[in-house]
């Protein structure tokens, strides 16, 4: 009896102690381990992006339970990279609590924050006296304090809070690392994880909203080392927003540190977000060296269709639809509002949706099951089944070719007319090209009137007209390449016509900006929308000249009609290609080749001179109040028009401000242009008699007065009066060496500035010399 009387209470007491050790409680007091005062050289960084110079950092020495020891030290951040230092401090405990308060660089917007935030961190300075403060140290702070209150030692509580936090963001592979060692600038996995997580938490929040968000997450995570379902849903929504912004965030940070004089490398940020919430970040996208293997990437299917199974071997999970759709379209980069899936069912006349390949497919157990339905059309058709990663990147494709290859043979000299969808696409091309040429036209006028207005002295990369022209030209490029891609998949009969329109677009880009981005297929354009690079102009011209020479061989020898219908606009004649090619030859100084091409246009006899004119005011009048005389002859009634595009603003031509005039239609190629170009060719070959005869024929037909005595200046005077609004006048002035004197411009103003938006968004792009980016 005495044994039980004394033993049982001991058992119960032991059980009670064991129970307490498994729960978080504040009743346990762990004695402090002996520590001799020691001097630490304390420094680090504060980053949410980096805090800016002058922000305050405080250091509060604590015991191992994070109880304050009474002292408080403060310092300020010494540079815009977030660096701080306390120098040497003798402390009676190795434990410390840090807080950073101030303005910071917002990596999402690329600007400095408009108000301040506070981030915290804790550290055992015996491990390292270099302590970085960031959102990860901030979120794990309250959880560590909770674990310390349960009786854990500092190192164990710190490690557990760290592991739980990184696991919560799918970053378990880094859970053995201390977040106080993470910094944006190291170029490591830890750096990328910090940037990605920091950006996710900031996503589209003001500083006040961010502070509230962090407080809520910190308090919630402190309870049990997890986030609630509500918070996880919120983070999932933020990931949807973040997906389309990561490339910009990366560039914002790189540019920030470049401006600080510090180079920085950042790993692919998509690998450090747990997009599908499976607990592992980055396993949703292919990493460097990974690829998807397709058992049968190309299926040849008979007209009656059939069932097929394609083996898929992939290191990541694949989808038939993007789970997160990123929008990579940005201002001043190649873009278009047309979706290939929506607008190419009826590309050719007589084709409808029934003649498209119809199929169903299912992706399951490493296999793609495809059922292809019968194809009513006798023509071979092509379709592509794209397989996506979680973020919507195409990881692999299976091409379906239904029908025999022989069914697809077309007569390239008599291609099918555009169907309703084809007409809509070409109308979109015409609209953006017309807008681009109209803006280009305004730039030419502004250059021409520069001696009176001084416009060029204020020309800069943020000029709206410059940016609009660039953007509209590349909208045209993007839509042309989309049309080219769809035509190639189906019948491949429109290449020459597309190449002619591409030549119009790219030649004007070269005339204005010289070396510019040059794309020849839609996929490359889409994949490089944020990495534009300048192609040497000689390479661009070499490719254009080759394609135009092929087009001249294949296109119809006929009078070109471009204002009657969309089909007439699209199916250009040999003459359009000849004039384009001749213009490039003249720009390069090859007048013999140009003369041969232009003479053929003249000899065809399809076009005759008419009296249409466009006049500029004389130099001794007030430019701001003088109306410009204009022709009342409608473009479609002019007998000399070879190629014309409708303008955007048909009612503004009679406006009073010369530099704001927009033509109702842009007669881009005319017989008078051809004849004056021939005069230029003969002049440079030394035959001034023939050159003068061509000038006289144009002047008599208009009629216009020619007062100059020099043959080249006579050509200039004629062009100035009748071609100033056609978009080719400045190219003429440049190739003849007249531009600087006529327009009163400096050497660098012979080229337009690259729009500032392009420079900002595309790190590989460089500015034309002489222009300051602003």
């Amino acid at each position: 009896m005495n044994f039980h009387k004394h033993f049982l209470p001991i058992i119960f007491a032991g059980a009670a102690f064991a129970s307490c050790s498994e729960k978080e409680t504040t009743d346990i007091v762990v004695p402090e381990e002996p520590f001799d005062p020691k001097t630490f050289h304390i420094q680090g960084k504060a980053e949410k992006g980096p805090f800016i110079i002058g922000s305050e950092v405080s250091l509060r020495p604590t015991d191992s339970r994070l109880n304050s020891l009474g002292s408080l030290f403060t310092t300020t951040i010494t540079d815009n990279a977030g660096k701080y230092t306390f120098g040497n401090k003798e402390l009676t405990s190795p434990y410390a609590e840090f807080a950073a308060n101030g303005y910071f660089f917002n990596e999402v917007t690329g600007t400095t924050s408009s108000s301040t935030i506070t981030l915290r961190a804790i550290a055992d300075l015996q491990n390292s006296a270099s302590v970085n403060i960031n959102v990860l140290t901030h979120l794990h702070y309250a959880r560590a304090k909770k674990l310390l209150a349960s009786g854990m030692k500092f190192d164990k509580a710190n490690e557990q809070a760290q592991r739980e936090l990184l696991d919560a963001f799918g970053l378990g592979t880094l859970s053995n690392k201390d977040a106080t060692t993470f910094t944006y600038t190291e170029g490591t996995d830890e750096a990328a994880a910090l940037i990605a997580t920091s950006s996710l938490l900031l996503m589209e929040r003001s500083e006040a909203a961010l502070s509230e968000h962090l407080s809520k997450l910190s308090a919630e995570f402190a309870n049990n080392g997890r986030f609630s379902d509500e918070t996880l849903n919120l983070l999932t929504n933020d990931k949807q927003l973040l997906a389309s912004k990561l490339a910009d965030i990366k560039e914002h940070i790189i540019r920030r540190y470049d401006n600080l004089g510090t180079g920085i490398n950042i790993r692919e940020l998509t690998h450090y977000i747990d997009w599908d919430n499976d607990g592992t970040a980055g396993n949703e996208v292919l990493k460097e060296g990974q690829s998807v293997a397709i058992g049968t990437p190309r299926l040849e299917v008979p007209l009656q269709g059939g069932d097929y199974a394609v083996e898929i071997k992939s290191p990541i999970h694949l989808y038939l639809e993007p789970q997160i759709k990123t929008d990579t379209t940005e201002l001043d980069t190649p873009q278009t509002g047309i979706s290939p899936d929506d607008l190419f069912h009826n590309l050719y006349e007589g084709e409808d949706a029934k003649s498209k390949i119809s199929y169903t497919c299912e992706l399951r157990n490493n296999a793609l099951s495809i059922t292809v339905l019968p194809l009513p059309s006798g023509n071979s058709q092509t379709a592509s089944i794209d397989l996506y990663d979680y973020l919507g990147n195409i990881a692999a494709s299976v091409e379906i070719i239904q029908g025999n290859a022989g069914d697809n043979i077309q007569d390239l000299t008599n291609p099918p007319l555009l169907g309703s969808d084809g007409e809509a696409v070409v109308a979109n091309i015409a609209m953006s090209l017309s807008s681009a040429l109209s803006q280009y036209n305004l730039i030419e006028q502004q250059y021409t009137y520069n001696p009176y207005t001084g416009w060029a002295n204020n020309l800069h990369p943020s000029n709206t007209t410059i940016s609009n022209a660039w953007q509209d030209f590349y909208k045209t490029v993007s839509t042309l390449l989309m049309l080219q891609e769809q035509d190639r998949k189906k019948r491949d009969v429109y290449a020459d016509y597309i190449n002619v329109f591409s030549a119009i677009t790219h030649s004007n880009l070269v005339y204005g900006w010289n070396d510019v981005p040059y794309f020849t297929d839609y996929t490359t354009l889409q994949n490089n929308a944020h990495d534009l690079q300048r192609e040497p102009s000689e390479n661009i011209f070499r490719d254009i000249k080759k394609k135009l020479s092929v087009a001249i061989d294949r296109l119809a020898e006929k009078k070109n009609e471009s204002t009657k219908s969309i089909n007439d606009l699209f199916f250009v004649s040999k003459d359009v290609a000849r004039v384009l090619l001749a213009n490039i030859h003249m720009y390069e100084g090859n007048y013999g080749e140009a003369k041969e091409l232009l003479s053929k246009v003249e000899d065809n006899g399809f076009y005759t001179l008419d009296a249409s004119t466009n006049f500029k005011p004389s130099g001794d009048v007030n430019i701001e109040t003088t109306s410009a005389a204009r022709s009342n002859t409608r473009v479609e009634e002019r007998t000399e028009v070879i190629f014309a595009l409708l303008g955007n603003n048909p009612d503004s031509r009679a406006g009073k401000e010369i530099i704001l005039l927009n033509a109702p239609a842009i007669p881009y190629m005319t017989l008078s242009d051809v004849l004056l170009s021939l005069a230029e060719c003969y002049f440079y070959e030394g035959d001034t008699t023939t050159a003068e005869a061509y000038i006289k024929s144009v002047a008599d037909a208009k009629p216009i007065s020619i007062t100059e005595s020099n043959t080249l200046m006579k050509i200039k005077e004629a062009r100035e009066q009748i071609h100033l609004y056609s978009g080719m006048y400045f190219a003429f002035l440049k190739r003849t060496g007249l531009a600087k004197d006529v327009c009163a411009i400096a050497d660098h103003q012979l080229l337009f500035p690259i729009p500032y938006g392009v420079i900002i968004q595309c790190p590989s792009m460089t500015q034309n010399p002489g222009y300051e980016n602003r």
Side-chain angles (χ1 to χ4, degrees):
M1 289 295 293
N2 290 338
F3 172 82
H4 288 351
K5 179 178 180 180
H6 296 286
F7 183 70
L8 288 178
I10 295 174
I11 294 176
F12 290 134
F17 180 81
S19 175
C20 287
S21 68
E22 296 173 358
K23 297 180 181 179
E24 297 174 0
T25 177
T26 59
D27 297 335
I28 298 172
V29 177
V30 178
E32 291 290 310
E33 296 181 1
F35 181 80
D36 293 328
K38 182 178 178 180
T39 298
F40 297 96
H41 185 77
I42 305 169
Q43 60 185 359
K45 295 179 182 177
E47 295 170 315
K48 165 59 229 91
F51 278 61
I52 70 170
I53 190 169
S55 298
E56 185 177 271
V57 180
S58 65
L59 161 64
R60 186 184 300 276
T62 71
D63 61 19
S64 64
R65 321 304 303 158
L66 293 184
N67 297 312
S68 174
L69 296 180
S71 301
L72 179 67
F73 306 99
T74 61
T75 189
T76 57
I77 287 173
T78 57
D79 64 16
N80 285 325
K83 292 180 182 178
Y84 72 87
T85 180
F86 287 96
N88 295 325
K89 295 293 180 186
E90 184 181 57
L91 303 179
T92 59
S93 169
Y95 308 106
E97 176 183 321
F98 294 79
N101 177 266
Y103 296 92
F104 62 92
F105 177 72
N106 184 320
E107 62 265 41
V108 176
T109 63
T111 60
T112 301
S113 66
S114 57
S115 58
T116 63
I117 63 166
T118 299
L119 296 181
R120 300 183 183 279
I122 58 172
D124 180 348
L125 299 176
Q126 295 178 106
N127 296 330
S128 175
S130 180
V131 180
N132 296 331
I133 308 165
N134 51 60
V135 293
L136 292 175
T137 65
H138 184 84
L139 289 180
H140 121 293
Y141 165 80
R143 176 59 178 164
K145 290 190 70 171
K146 185 73 179 289
L147 293 173
L148 287 170
S150 73
M152 278 192 183
K153 290 187 175 181
F154 185 94
D155 58 344
K156 295 297 182 183
N158 203 30
E159 289 173 6
Q160 180 173 327
Q162 173 85 8
R163 182 178 65 255
E164 291 171 341
L165 180 63
L166 291 175
D167 284 346
F169 286 106
L171 298 168
T173 56
L174 304 177
S175 61
N176 63 334
K177 309 283 186 176
D178 191 326
T180 60
T181 66
F182 290 16
T183 174
Y184 278 35
T185 59
E186 293 298 317
T188 59
D189 290 332
E190 294 89 336
L194 176 60
I195 292 170
T197 306
S198 185
S199 301
L200 174 65
L201 296 174
L202 177 57
M203 185 49 50
E204 296 194 353
R205 291 183 173 88
S206 65
E207 289 78 19
L210 173 63
S211 294
E212 182 181 3
H213 186 49
L214 290 175
S215 296
K216 180 180 178 182
L217 294 182
S218 180
E220 187 178 280
F221 185 74
N223 289 329
N224 54 19
R226 293 190 300 273
F227 294 123
S228 68
D229 289 343
E230 179 184 358
T231 295
L232 291 175
N233 288 334
L234 177 61
L235 291 174
T236 296
N237 292 334
D238 287 343
K239 291 172 189 177
Q240 295 277 344
L241 298 172
L242 178 67
S244 64
K245 300 181 183 297
L246 279 178
D248 287 339
I249 289 169
K250 183 175 180 178
E251 289 309 317
H252 290 160
I253 297 172
I254 290 173
R255 188 174 301 109
R256 175 68 170 182
Y257 282 96
D258 281 346
N259 291 337
L260 297 177
T262 304
I264 181 174
N265 294 316
I266 301 176
R267 299 190 178 184
E268 175 52 53
L269 295 178
T270 55
H271 298 162
Y272 301 90
I273 296 290
D274 183 11
W275 301 103
D276 59 3
N277 300 317
D278 69 347
T280 302
N283 64 348
E284 305 89 347
V285 294
L286 293 172
K287 295 182 173 61
E288 185 175 356
Q290 292 183 327
S291 61
V292 176
I294 305 293
T296 310
R298 179 186 175 101
L299 291 177
E300 296 187 1
V301 179
L303 290 175
Q304 61 268 29
D307 296 321
Y308 300 87
V310 177
E311 183 181 5
I312 308 290
K313 292 183 179 180
S314 173
I316 63 172
H317 194 72
L318 299 177
Y319 305 85
L320 291 170
E321 294 289 340
Q323 304 304 293
I324 292 180
K325 295 183 179 180
T326 61
D327 178 13
T328 58
T329 298
E330 301 288 349
L331 179 65
D332 289 330
T333 57
Q335 57 182 290
T336 178
I338 300 176
S339 166
D341 294 334
D342 295 336
L343 287 182
F344 287 94
H345 292 303
N346 189 17
L347 176 55
Y348 311 105
E349 185 180 55
E351 179 188 58
D352 56 29
K354 293 181 179 179
S355 65
K356 296 280 292 182
I357 292 179
S358 297
Y359 61 85
T360 59
C361 58
E362 183 180 18
L363 185 61
R364 180 184 296 178
N365 298 328
N366 298 320
L368 179 65
S369 300
I370 307 170
T371 297
V372 182
L373 303 179
L375 183 67
S377 169
N379 289 320
S380 173
Q381 299 291 336
T382 304
S384 179
I385 300 176
D386 294 325
L387 303 177
Y388 300 91
D389 66 17
Y390 196 87
L391 292 181
N393 302 305
I394 297 177
S397 298
V398 175
E399 184 181 22
I400 302 174
I401 300 175
Q402 190 170 9
N404 298 321
D407 295 332
N408 210 29
I409 296 176
Q410 298 288 335
D411 179 6
L412 295 179
T413 62
N414 188 28
L417 294 176
L418 295 163
S420 58
D421 290 342
E423 287 187 343
V425 172
V426 172
N428 186 281
I429 291 168
M431 185 188 310
S432 57
L433 181 56
S434 174
S435 179
L437 291 174
S438 180
Q439 296 293 324
Y440 198 96
N441 184 339
L442 290 177
I443 299 169
E444 289 197 342
Q445 294 174 56
Q446 290 166 325
Y447 264 77
T448 302
Y449 299 120
N450 182 63
Y452 317 120
T453 64
W455 175 83
N457 294 327
N458 297 315
L459 182 61
H460 54 78
S462 296
N463 179 276
T464 301
T465 309
I466 294 287
S467 296
N468 288 345
W470 176 283
Q471 184 174 8
D472 286 333
F473 275 129
Y474 277 106
K475 282 182 181 179
T476 306
V477 171
S478 183
T479 314
L480 280 169
L481 293 179
M482 190 189 303
L483 174 61
Q484 171 186 275
E485 179 182 60
Q486 294 297 321
D487 176 54
R488 282 177 177 172
K489 288 180 179 180
K490 296 177 138 192
R491 304 188 189 182
D492 199 14
V493 290
Y494 288 164
D496 295 316
Y497 307 100
I498 293 169
N499 287 338
V500 168
F501 278 84
S502 178
I504 295 173
T505 307
H506 283 106
S507 62
N508 277 281
L509 282 163
V510 172
Y511 297 148
W513 289 273
N514 199 37
D515 300 343
V516 294
Y518 183 55
F519 297 98
T520 57
D521 70 87
Y522 186 67
T523 301
T524 302
L525 181 148
Q526 291 295 95
N527 292 340
N528 293 277
H530 287 280
D531 189 28
L532 300 183
Q533 299 187 37
R534 302 181 71 165
E535 183 71 21
S537 58
E538 58 267 26
N539 294 348
I540 299 174
F541 275 159
R542 185 183 303 114
D543 190 52
I544 291 176
K545 288 189 293 185
K546 179 180 177 181
K547 290 175 178 176
L548 287 175
S549 296
V550 173
I552 291 171
D553 289 339
R554 292 179 177 175
L555 298 179
E557 191 74 270
K558 63 174 184 177
K559 180 179 181 181
N560 193 72
E561 304 279 4
S562 57
T563 59
K564 290 184 177 180
S565 70
I566 292 296
N567 272 290
D568 287 316
L569 173 74
F570 183 63
F571 292 110
V572 293
S573 71
K574 291 180 184 289
D575 283 340
V576 176
R578 287 182 180 122
V579 174
L580 286 171
L581 185 53
N583 286 338
I584 294 173
H585 280 312
M586 287 190 294
Y587 196 78
E588 294 180 323
N590 301 320
Y591 283 96
E593 291 89 339
K595 185 179 74 171
E596 183 178 347
L597 291 162
L598 296 169
S599 295
K600 180 61 178 175
V601 176
E602 180 191 19
D603 293 343
N604 278 338
F606 294 135
Y607 320 99
T608 57
L609 289 171
D610 58 44
S612 59
T613 56
N614 295 302
F615 292 97
K616 79 174 186 67
S618 62
D620 58 353
V621 296
N622 187 335
I623 298 299
E624 297 297 324
T625 59
T626 302
S627 297
R630 64 189 179 93
S631 171
N632 292 319
T633 308
R634 293 171 59 84
V635 167
E636 55 266 35
E637 296 171 352
R638 296 178 185 174
T639 60
E640 68 171 79
V641 172
I642 302 172
F643 183 82
L645 284 162
L646 295 180
N648 284 341
N649 200 356
D651 296 325
S652 67
R653 186 61 181 275
K656 291 187 176 181
E657 290 187 77
I658 295 302
I659 61 173
L660 297 180
L661 294 181
N662 253 334
I666 301 171
Y668 186 71
M669 294 179 189
T670 63
L671 181 60
S672 58
D673 173 45
V674 169
L675 298 183
L676 290 175
S677 291
L678 278 169
E680 185 181 338
C681 292
Y682 279 102
F683 169 78
Y684 278 105
E685 288 188 340
D687 186 351
T688 56
T689 301
T690 304
E692 293 277 356
Y694 276 116
I695 298 170
K696 186 177 186 304
S697 67
V698 173
D700 289 347
K702 293 305 171 180
I704 57 175
S705 297
I706 303 295
T707 61
E708 297 282 355
S709 57
N710 176 274
T711 301
L712 183 59
M713 292 303 291
K714 287 182 179 180
I715 298 172
K716 173 258 179 189
E717 189 175 12
R719 282 192 174 277
E720 190 173 48
Q721 295 182 72
I722 62 177
H723 294 146
L724 178 57
Y725 302 120
S726 298
M728 289 297 295
Y729 181 59
F730 190 55
F732 159 77
L733 293 178
K734 287 175 63 175
R735 71 182 181 235
T736 55
L738 298 174
K740 287 176 59 179
D741 290 338
V742 170
C743 300
I745 56 177
D747 286 338
H748 74 276
Q749 292 168 331
L750 291 171
L751 296 178
F752 306 154
I754 303 294
Y756 181 55
V758 178
I759 300 295
I760 287 294
Q761 295 175 22
C762 305
S764 298
M765 284 293 292
T766 57
Q767 183 57 268
N768 277 330
Y771 292 104
E772 178 185 356
N773 281 324
R774 58 187 174 95

